[in-house]
Each structure stands twice: as C-alpha cells, then as structure tokens.
Amino acid sequence: MDVSKNFGSMAFNDKVMRERLPKSTYKELKQAISENQPLPLEVANVVANAMKDWAIEKGATHFTHWFQPLSGVTAEKHDSFISPTPEGGVIMEFSGKELIKGEPDASSFPSGGLRSTFEARGYTSWDPTSYAFIKDGTLCIPTAFCSYNGEALDKKTPLLKSMHAINSAAKRILKLFGAPDSVEVTTTVGAEQEYFLVDKKYFDLRKDLLFTGRTLYGALPPKGQELEDHYFGTIKSRVSAYMKELDEELWKLGVLAKTKHNEVAPAQHELAPVFTTTNIATDHNQLTMEIMQKVAKRHGLVCLLHEKPFAGINGSGKHNNWSISTSDGTNLLNPGKSPEDNAQFLLFLAAIIKGIDEYQELLRISVASAGNDHRLGANEAPPAIISIFLGDELTEILDSIEKGYKLDKRKKTLMRIGVDFMPPFAKDTTDRNRTSPFAFTGNKFEFRMPGSSASISAANTVLNTIIAAELTEFADELEKATDFNEALSDLIKRTIKEHKRIIFNGNGYDKAWIDEAEKRGLLNLKSTPEALKYMLEKKDVEIFEKFHVFTANEIKSRYEIHIDNYCKILNIEAKTMLDMAKTDIIPAVGKYTAQLLETAKLKKEFGLSTTPESDIAAELSDKSVAMFNSVKTLSVLAEQAKNISDEQARAEFYHNEVIPAMESLRHAADSAELLTDGAMWPMPGYKDLLFGI
Ligand code: ADP
Ligand code: MG
C-alpha cells in the first residue's frame, strides 16, 4: 500500500476541500469554522454537492449523520442519495440542508428525562471542524445531537463548548503576554488505546464475554503476566496481520495511527495515534474502536475493549495525552526558551495545578464506569485518587519559586518570573511514573485514568472546562494589575502554595500514599456510585453553567443516565453469572463428580484404593454446595436491587451487596474449575483465551 497516497483517501479533509470547493466557498467555510458561526445555506449547498460528487466517485451510495449519543457508542442512520425523477429513474442528490441538519427518531436514545418518548424528535447538526469520511459505502458526517429544545443529548456538543471556553480564556492570557488578536487556542489530544485480542472460536463459547464483554468466571492459568515477557515482545504473525490491516483502514479514514505494540498482559496490545485537535482526536478514537472490532472479525478474532476482561491480569486503559496549543502550532505546555515564554508556561502550569486540585471530583467522574471500577486502584492502574506528577526537578523549581530560595544545585539565584530563565529540567523519561493518574511528560499531560472502552469526550470536556475556569480567574486578576510582572509572580507563588498538595511524584501504588493523600485532604472516590454523587454538587454544576458547557438540567440528566447505566450493567452481569452457574457450571461439576464416583466404585470392587477419585469428588461436592448457596444469595440480592427506587441507593446497593455476592460465587466456581477435568469444563478457560492465538 502506498501509504501517503492512501492516507485520508476516504476523508473529505482540508486537501480535498481545497481541491473541490470554489475558492470563495472554501474561504467562507473556513471562516465559519474559525468564528464558530453557522454556515449560510447557499454555501452549505455548494459544500454538500461537492461532498456528494466526491463520495459517489469513491463508491458511496448513502450518507449518514454520524453522532455520539449518551449510550456510549456511535450512531448512524443511513439515507441513500437517490431522488426519483418523473421519468421513473433516479438522480443522486444531497442538499445543504441535509448536510447541516438531520432529524433522526431519537426516542430510543438515552436522554435522562430531557426528552419524553412522545417528543421523539432530536436534531443532529453538522460539525464542520471534524472531517466527513466514507465508511462501508456511506458518507459519514460528524454531527452534534440535541433535543428539540436544544439540550445536548450527545458527547460532542459539550466537548465543542468546552473547547470554545478554553479558547476564549487562553486568548485573554496570551494577550497579556503580547500575542496578537488573531491568535486562536485549541487543546490537542493523542489517545493511546489498549485492547485485548481473543480467538473468536473461544469467545463464542463464553456467555460472559458475549453478554458483558468480560469474563465473570475463570481460574488463572499457571502463567500469567508475571514474567513481563509480552510487553513490547515480538508480535505474533496473526496479530501482526491484524494490526497491519487495522492501520491501513484507519489511514484511509485519515486517522493518524502511529505506534503499535504488545502490552503487559498476554493477548493485550496498544495503538497510539499522532495527536490532533481534541474534537478530531475524540471522533477518531471512536472510529478506531469501531474499526478495531470490525477488522478483528475478518481475522477470526474478537477485540475486547472492556476495562477488565480478565481478573488477575492487567486491565486496559486509554492514556489521554493532552496539551494546549495556539493556531500557529506553539505548544503552550512547552517550557520556553525565553523568560517571557517561561513565565507564560508557569502561568498555564499553575492554572492546571489549581484546576486539577479544585475539581478532582470532576476528573474522577469523567472516568467513572462499572468497567473502570475494576481497574482504578487495581494492581497496574492509577489509584482512584487524583494527583499530579511533575517530576522532581520541575517540582523543585516550583518549590524554589514558592519559597524564594536559591536553586544551589545549578548555581542559580532566585528565579524572578518573567525576568529570568527557568533552569532547564530533564524530562522524566526514565521513570515515566506509570503510577500517576495525571503526569507531566515534558510538554503535555498524560491522563491515565480513562477506561479503554469509554469515549474520551468526558475527560477532555472536564479538562478544558476547569482550565478555562482557572485561566479566566487569572485573567481577571492580571488584567487589573498595575505592575504585570509583580502580579504574575504573586499569582504563581500563591497558586503553588495553595494547591501543591495535589502534586505527588512518588509511587501511587504504595499503600502509604493512600494515608498521605487522606492527610492532604485529597479525595479517594473508590467506586462509580461514590464518584457520581459529586456530579450534582453546587460548585461542580456551577462551573459548567458558567462556561456554557452544560446546563444544570443537562447535568442532572447525565447523572441519571450514568447511574442507571451502572445499575443495568451490574444487573446483566449478575444475571449472566447466575445463568452460567445454574445451566453450565453446576451441571458440569455434577457430571464430573458422578464420573469420579463411578470410577471410585469400580476401584473399590477391584479392591483398589479409591483415592484420589473419592477425595476429589468430595471436594467438588463441597464446591457445588458453596456455588449453590452463592447462587441463592446472589439471586435474592439481584432481585432486591431492582426494587430500590432511589437510583443512588440502588447503585450503592449493587456496589456494596451485589458485587461481593458475585465475587463469592466466582470464587467457588473458579476453585471448582481447578479440580475439574479440562475436557468437561463447559467453556474455554483463561489458557485458551489468553494464549490461544
Ligand atoms: P510516549 O508516551 O510513548 O513516550 P509520546 O510522548 O511521543 O510517546 O506520545 C504519546 C502520545 O502523546 C501520542 O499519541 C502522541 O501523539 C501524544 N502527544 C505528543 N505530543 C502531544 C501534544 N502536544 N498534545 C497532545 N498529545 C500529544
Ligand atoms: Mg505514554
């Protein structure tokens, strides 16, 4: 494949627009995008027509508004381009109106009470900042999705609003440092995506994987990930063929797939793209997840995106690398080479430190899900406590600024912000501190808490909004100052002093950190129900309202969807466990026990020793009793949970009562698996799933 020729061949990107749109239309489109203004219909008509011609040349017959409802997956409803002619034929048509606005029947998408089912209408509207693309013969138009009353029902709308907020706030700051009015600010993201691949023939035999995306049972094989021989290891040829095709498919769509490698756990892999504007990165990550699953099927594989498909083995996350950059490509989180640049960097850094500290709960909520609960705080993942890693040297620089002392080591005197150079500090590339949830990696922050299956929209909406809030506060203060440099110094020093508790460079997996974090007053929200409670806190609602990212109503509805989703997932998991125990596992153990007893009986007739058969049969019989007792307990609790009307109480009940019951059922079943003839176990085990490719 000629990569450079094929890259973006299925995307209506800037290059295509330049080629295919009349100059004036192109200019008007670009202007509408940069000024965040709706496109006039005449212009939209021209764009739509060019898009249609391009799409038809590429073999497309349909178009769809491609959107991201709150169900978590992307949605599409395909319409063909055909339009009947009086002579009984058809012509291919696509109007500006169809491009700009769609009205899908939205009644079945979650809305958390924002839209009753009788008011089924919802609007999708074109997001011209993200390129249209062709997938399976359909022209897909990235769109935002709103209710009839204009309330956001999707993940794109708030993200776009948060980008608008940080743009306005950051521009005020940059102006104070002498930037021209024309400068625009966006955030950039590169989302590293982890995933597992399992053989489809094994996947199909596991009800738990089919219904819940994770294994609800399964004893660990003798070898897990302890040798760490999989990480960056040689890629097996079948996986390699998969990755190759995946890259090619993504490149055609204009997704900047860059790095691929094996991850820590057996059968676990990662794909990282080159970073781009947050909005596009978010769309592209959704596409990446979709294409990952689709291409896997063609290779007889299944791609698991669940955060914790296997117990006792690393889970999958999505490292959200995030930075702020200007329209001329300057990365604002790059410590500069001049005193002014450094001062500006320090101010942005201070805003981030303050924002993360003040709104810890929002970041935690943005990654909360039933799946991610297995991961946060588990052996390989960041703990549920939010903290920032800056590295020792940058931390020392901040310390010297705060306390006004000499950085002896480098023979530097007291650093005066805006006047002196910041001493150069090493990027922490050796340590990489994999235990920090939010780590500075030289010129960007890596937020490591998002789960592998989640959209990155929520995390970035929060990041953009809270930093916009802090930058706005800073701008309010600095714009009033008579002596800018003095006010700047003062502000940075004060911010470090007041918010340094959020900085932690040590080992986040250390138990001592949990106590230390508590002493510092940091939040440790261990589960989704615990985290979601904070969604409705006054200060957290207010910040979103202030920056027009969410209305209070939208937050309330999202809270309801979120908590309902958590309960539904646990209900499905509990039901699947019960079904597997009753109809697969207990019967299989029974059959094997009978076989053992039969053998023991025969042996006895021949005067032979009946061990081990009789002993194993006795043990298995005990395990069956334990399983059956757990089944009874879990059934009762799962039924009870469903009847709790208060949603918060219901979610907490699932967390506090149902999950432990699921765990004890699993424990009994997994120990029975270790005693049962492998050929008689009713489903493929971890050995096949993890090492079967
Ligand atoms: P690693 O973390 O493996 O050292 P990199 O630091 O190069 O690799 O990048 C990891 C991810 O961070 C990649 O997806 C990359 O594109 C992204 N990234 C790099 N720079 C930025 C930036 N300024 N903004 C957002 N993401 C970035
Ligand atoms: Mg990384």
Side-chain angles (χ1 to χ4, degrees):
M1 167 179 193
D2 180 343
V3 178
S4 61
K5 203 164 131 221
N6 272 292
F7 184 84
S9 63
M10 290 299 187
F12 195 75
N13 55 23
D14 203 59
K15 183 167 160 272
V16 183
M17 287 192 240
R18 227 183 258 271
E19 279 166 16
R20 298 212 167 220
L21 297 176
K23 255 205 183 85
S24 59
T25 310
Y26 176 80
K27 246 179 81 185
E28 277 179 279
L29 176 60
K30 283 273 143 181
Q31 194 176 347
I33 293 172
S34 77
E35 286 166 10
N36 203 16
Q37 291 301 321
L39 201 63
L41 195 59
E42 323 81 78
V43 185
N45 277 328
V46 179
V47 178
N49 201 49
M51 245 189 214
K52 177 207 69 186
D53 289 344
W54 169 82
I56 289 171
E57 278 169 40
K58 301 273 177 191
T61 52
H62 288 68
F63 70 92
T64 181
H65 277 196
W66 183 77
F67 58 105
Q68 298 162 34
L70 298 169
S71 56
V73 285
T74 50
E76 36 195 79
K77 176 184 146 228
H78 299 209
D79 281 304
S80 69
F81 291 120
I82 63 165
S83 171
T85 59
E87 306 82 57
V90 291
I91 50 163
M92 301 298 258
E93 271 185 354
F94 184 47
S95 68
K97 218 172 128 230
E98 287 171 306
L99 166 65
I100 294 178
K101 199 167 177 188
E103 288 188 36
D105 176 356
S107 54
S108 298
F109 292 111
S111 72
L114 280 181
R115 180 185 21 66
S116 42
T117 18
F118 64 81
E119 180 44 271
R121 258 185 310 168
Y123 289 116
T124 50
S125 50
W126 181 35
D127 164 22
T129 63
S130 184
Y131 302 132
F133 55 91
I134 297 171
K135 186 165 63 73
D136 297 330
T138 297
L139 170 67
C140 300
I141 298 145
T143 53
F145 179 41
C146 296
S147 78
Y148 188 69
N149 299 322
E151 285 135 332
L153 295 173
D154 70 343
K155 305 196 175 190
K156 184 188 271 286
T157 308
L159 180 65
L160 290 172
K161 290 179 173 172
S162 74
M163 297 200 44
H164 186 65
I166 198 166
N167 181 28
S168 313
K171 272 160 58 171
R172 282 176 66 192
I173 297 287
L174 294 182
K175 217 170 272 177
L176 291 167
F177 285 90
D181 281 349
S182 61
V183 76
E184 299 290 328
V185 178
T186 58
T187 55
T188 53
V189 162
E192 303 167 46
Q193 176 73 46
E194 292 181 335
Y195 61 98
F196 279 87
L197 287 177
V198 298
D199 196 312
K200 188 163 183 309
K201 71 171 185 273
Y202 298 130
F203 174 92
D204 286 340
L205 296 169
R206 301 265 329 193
K207 286 182 195 164
D208 47 6
L209 286 178
L210 272 167
F211 297 142
T212 73
R214 74 179 182 104
T215 55
L216 300 169
Y217 295 102
L220 272 179
K223 178 178 189 270
Q225 64 185 54
E226 54 278 82
L227 296 178
E228 310 221 320
D229 50 353
H230 191 255
Y231 192 49
F232 283 22
T234 324
I235 301 171
K236 288 180 183 158
S237 55
R238 200 165 156 207
V239 174
S240 176
Y242 163 78
M243 288 176 164
K244 183 169 181 288
E245 192 177 330
L246 174 61
D247 275 342
E248 287 171 2
E249 291 286 324
L250 291 173
W251 289 336
K252 276 193 235 162
L253 294 168
V255 176
L256 293 155
K258 172 89 174 163
T259 316
K260 51 187 181 185
H261 61 80
N262 286 351
E263 260 299 326
V264 176
Q268 191 185 27
H269 313 281
E270 181 184 298
L271 180 145
V274 179
F275 69 96
T276 177
T277 314
T278 305
N279 178 35
I280 295 179
T282 305
D283 283 358
H284 281 184
N285 182 251
Q286 291 298 123
L287 265 180
T288 300
M289 291 194 285
E290 185 185 328
I291 306 290
M292 274 180 164
Q293 286 168 306
K294 203 182 275 170
V295 173
K297 296 253 163 71
R298 291 187 212 142
H299 291 255
L301 301 166
V302 175
C303 171
L304 304 178
L305 291 170
H306 194 281
E307 283 74 17
K308 196 75 178 174
F310 304 100
I313 301 256
N314 274 10
S316 297
K318 183 137 46 188
H319 293 175
N320 189 81
N321 294 274
W322 176 91
S323 192
I324 315 172
S325 117
T326 64
S327 37
D328 65 11
T330 309
N331 181 352
L332 296 171
L333 297 187
N334 220 343
K337 292 201 174 70
S338 70
E340 295 76 33
D341 286 351
N342 278 328
Q344 192 182 291
F345 165 75
L346 286 170
L347 189 63
F348 276 96
L349 183 64
I352 292 169
I353 292 169
K354 182 167 185 281
I356 305 292
D357 185 32
E358 284 180 342
Y359 297 99
Q360 297 160 46
E361 63 282 1
L362 286 182
L363 280 171
R364 176 64 186 88
I365 290 163
S366 77
V367 299
S369 71
N372 218 14
D373 275 5
H374 299 285
R375 205 182 138 251
L376 296 180
N379 73 20
E380 91 291 3
I385 306 163
I386 305 276
S387 66
I388 302 180
F389 170 86
L390 290 180
D392 291 336
E393 290 189 82
L394 184 54
T395 306
E396 199 189 342
I397 292 169
L398 295 189
D399 195 53
S400 77
I401 292 171
E402 180 204 343
K403 304 201 176 104
Y405 66 79
K406 264 164 73 164
L407 270 176
D408 280 334
K409 231 170 40 187
R410 295 178 204 81
K411 303 265 180 292
K412 265 267 185 182
T413 49
L414 164 65
M415 194 179 130
R416 286 167 306 157
I417 293 155
V419 182
D420 288 335
F421 278 102
M422 204 163 68
F425 58 90
K427 269 199 205 184
D428 235 286
T429 43
T430 43
D431 175 5
R432 319 224 94 237
N433 196 309
R434 292 170 59 86
T435 68
S436 174
F438 198 75
F440 185 63
T441 51
N443 59 4
K444 62 183 187 292
F445 278 94
E446 185 167 333
F447 184 33
R448 305 209 178 94
M449 281 177 137
S452 48
S453 70
S455 159
I456 53 170
S457 158
N460 290 301
T461 300
V462 167
L463 276 172
N464 292 344
T465 308
I466 63 181
I467 306 312
E470 304 303 351
L471 292 174
T472 302
E473 209 182 300
F474 286 4
D476 288 344
E477 182 172 333
L478 294 174
E479 282 165 0
K480 283 197 280 254
T482 38
D483 182 335
F484 176 67
N485 273 349
E486 201 181 288
L488 181 67
S489 267
D490 203 56
L491 174 60
I492 291 175
K493 269 187 210 171
R494 184 170 14 107
T495 308
I496 297 170
K497 192 182 231 112
E498 284 168 9
H499 298 284
K500 65 181 176 191
R501 64 168 185 170
I502 197 77
I503 299 167
F504 176 65
N505 295 322
N507 180 1
Y509 299 171
D510 202 342
K511 273 207 77 169
W513 167 231
I514 298 184
D515 302 332
E516 164 71 17
E518 196 180 329
K519 270 195 220 122
R520 294 189 190 186
L522 299 179
L523 290 171
N524 184 5
L525 305 172
K526 295 192 207 84
S527 70
T528 296
E530 217 180 315
L532 291 186
K533 258 200 310 217
Y534 282 82
M535 263 180 103
L536 305 175
E537 295 260 304
K538 193 160 169 280
K539 107 175 197 267
D540 298 312
V541 174
E542 273 172 6
I543 184 182
F544 285 127
E545 285 197 306
K546 179 169 176 202
F547 291 92
H548 309 290
V549 173
F550 289 117
T551 62
N553 228 355
E554 286 172 338
I555 294 176
K556 180 83 183 27
S557 78
R558 268 160 218 251
Y559 164 79
E560 280 166 21
I561 292 169
H562 228 330
I563 205 121
D564 185 47
N565 189 254
Y566 176 84
C567 295
K568 279 181 179 152
I569 287 172
L570 277 152
N571 182 45
I572 294 170
E573 289 189 349
K575 282 199 307 201
T576 306
M577 280 198 93
L578 288 169
D579 175 78
M580 289 170 81
K582 287 189 285 194
T583 68
D584 299 318
I585 301 175
I586 294 175
V589 171
K591 273 184 213 148
Y592 182 52
T593 310
Q595 194 181 324
L596 287 167
L597 291 173
E598 193 61 33
T599 311
K601 203 167 122 199
L602 282 173
K603 280 182 157 185
K604 199 169 173 196
E605 280 172 25
F606 281 89
L608 301 171
S609 160
T610 61
T611 53
E613 284 78 8
S614 55
D615 292 12
I616 299 176
E619 258 193 75
L620 277 177
S621 169
D622 288 348
K623 308 258 183 242
S624 268
V625 173
M627 272 192 272
F628 195 59
N629 286 336
S630 297
V631 161
K632 282 190 285 193
T633 312
L634 180 56
S635 304
V636 171
L637 291 171
E639 209 45 48
Q640 244 173 298
K642 279 200 297 198
N643 296 327
I644 300 172
S645 54
D646 177 72
E647 54 226 337
Q648 180 69 35
R650 192 179 343 131
E652 283 168 18
F653 187 85
Y654 273 110
H655 179 262
N656 300 335
E657 308 291 336
V658 176
I659 289 180
M662 285 166 63
E663 277 164 5
S664 59
L665 174 54
R666 176 176 188 147
H667 180 74
D670 289 359
S671 56
E673 184 184 351
L674 292 172
L675 286 172
T676 304
D677 178 358
M680 291 181 77
W681 195 252
M683 67 197 95
Y686 270 28
K687 175 176 85 44
D688 293 326
L689 294 168
L690 290 168
F691 299 98
I693 293 177

